[in-house]
Amino acid sequence: MQHAGRTRRTAAVLLLVTAGALNAQTGTIRGTVRSAGSGEPVGEPVISLIELRRRTTGDSAGAFVFRDVPAGRWSLEVRRIGYRPDSATVTVDAGRETMLEIRLTEAPVVLAEVGATAPDPHRARFDSVAQVSTQSLGVRDIRSVPALAEPDLLRVVQLLPGVVTRNDYSVGLNVRGGDADQNLLLLDGQVVFNPFHLGGLVSTFDEHAVRGIEFIAGGFPARYGGRLSSVLDVQGREGSMNGVRGTASLSLLSSRLHLEGPLPGRLGSWLVAGRRTYADQVVRAFSSGEFPYYFQDAMARVTLPSVLGGVLALSAFGSGDYFDLTLTQATTGQPRQTFGFDWGNRVVGLTYHRAVGDRGHLTQRAGASSFFADIAVGPGLFAFTNRVRRLALAGDLELRRGRHDLAVGYVAERNDITYLAGSGDLDIDVARFRYRPDAVEGYVDDQWRPLGWLVVRSGIRATRVPGADFTGLAPRLLVKAFAGRSTAVSAAVGRYYQYVHSLRNEEIPISLFEFWIGTDARVPVSTA
């Protein structure tokens, strides 16, 4: 036992002696890397001891250290992106620290030319879609057009080919000889009946809440129905996912406020935008008189990008014009006599969109649209009321297979239109009408490219209006032949039906009187 104890003590002493001998034969290299031009530290250089195969990275100030380096002469190399590599010979003395300062000459890295191109959406549409008289515009295009008071979406559409206006005042659209009510106006797939303020002088859409528009001036495919003349599809914009942001503005006509941002937990985004004229408030604040008119509108959108493998979006829109004129002030025994005229729109829509396979898309929509127009002289002397209520369910399935782009879809809508005119105090009904032009429609649309220079788009839309005992088939055909990379000849022919109409005098510059009626046993379905 005593012999074993002495053996362990002898081994410990030998280890201490060996460690001391090794430490006495090594040294330390400590240094800093700087720029040869400015003398500033070069952050995070890579330093290597070639023969020893040791490497370290300097800190942000260019400082580095090698410990326990065997005594001798060693080759040291320094590298940093943006500088020329440098090398030096370092002598390490046993038990001592060697200090270095290395200067690197700047040498910017020259990369080969990199080109990036983005596809032009207009070019992509021209190359791949058979469609006549189609224009797609973004918000930048809308804002670039000079405007009298503020940017106006429908004023921009007036400048497109195929569109004319009855006068210089109204923003109503007359496309290729059609009346204004023969245009199908959609907001995120939902019908908007009367998107105008000031009797047709200003449109109701705020460009802060709009991503873009697509306008088809006739010859539209089987996907669209219910109107005869054109299609104006307005797409709402999604809110920002990068924090809350917004704008506020004051124009010659109105004040605006727009806000957007992510939902809690970044589950999606939201956006709201509103506008109101302020002339009535200014007159009220600075005088005892009153300005009897103002209009307002608002748009909102909530987008959830991950719902059952697709995108779910809720859109809402509302607009209103309000005119309240005092005819006579109230006196003893006599109430205030007024003339009031209000009209506006309400739209709510829910859209679900998801990919189907590698080259397909499924879209389902549900929504409600309404329009109101009220004229009242009173109290109780005369009243006019027009109400339009539309409930709709629609769906589209698009599939791309080889040279065919196939789309099928349906629309089921319920329309309730009332028209009342009379005097409550005198118990007189001048007119009392109700229309129920409900409709069920289905379509098939196929775009086929039999040859590289030829695109044929054919389809058919079936329409059933039970209230008018009407069933119709509307075939559509579009042909596009390319005569070069930037030249094509297109032609379209089709049949179109319309079962909801607006009665107005198109020749009046400012239309303050308009109401909607529907198809029934006495009013036939319009055909073009």
Side-chain angles (χ1 to χ4, degrees), residues 32-57:
T32 303
V33 180
R34 297 182 178 274
S35 170
S38 63
E40 296 181 353
V42 175
E44 300 180 354
V46 177
I47 305 97
S48 303
L49 290 173
I50 304 302
E51 296 86 352
L52 300 178
R53 297 184 179 181
R54 293 178 60 179
R55 179 178 296 174
T56 188
T57 301

Side-chain angles (χ1 to χ4, degrees), residues 233-320:
D233 191 355
V234 181
Q235 298 114 27
R237 187 168 66 84
E238 297 181 5
S240 170
M241 291 291 290
N242 299 319
V244 178
R245 62 183 65 176
T247 59
S249 61
L250 190 67
S251 71
L252 296 175
L253 184 62
S254 63
S255 55
R256 298 169 179 249
L257 178 64
H258 140 252
L259 295 170
E260 59 183 291
L263 291 171
R266 302 184 68 83
L267 298 177
S269 63
W270 58 269
L271 181 147
V272 293
R275 174 176 61 170
R276 189 190 191 280
T277 57
Y278 53 85
D280 61 322
Q281 300 298 324
V282 172
V283 171
R284 182 178 301 172
F286 292 98
S287 71
S288 58
E290 62 179 19
F291 187 76
Y293 172 79
Y294 73 93
F295 71 73
Q296 61 187 15
D297 51 58
M299 297 177 66
R301 181 183 174 98
V302 175
T303 306
L304 302 174
S306 300
V307 176
L308 300 176
V311 179
L312 183 66
L314 175 64
S315 303
F317 165 75
S319 68

Side-chain angles (χ1 to χ4, degrees), residues 318-337:
S319 68
D321 291 62
Y322 304 94
F323 183 87
D324 186 11
L325 176 65
T326 300
L327 299 176
T328 61
Q329 297 292 343
T331 60
T332 303
Q334 181 68 33
R336 171 176 172 262
Q337 298 294 314

Side-chain angles (χ1 to χ4, degrees), residues 27 29 46-56 64-70 73-78 88-90 92 100:
I29 300 175
V46 177
I47 305 97
S48 303
L49 290 173
I50 304 302
E51 296 86 352
L52 300 178
R53 297 184 179 181
R54 293 178 60 179
R55 179 178 296 174
T56 188
F64 68 92
V65 61
F66 287 102
R67 303 183 186 278
D68 299 327
V69 180
R73 293 172 62 85
W74 311 108
S75 297
L76 184 141
E77 185 181 62
V78 182
T89 301
V90 183
V92 178
L100 298 175

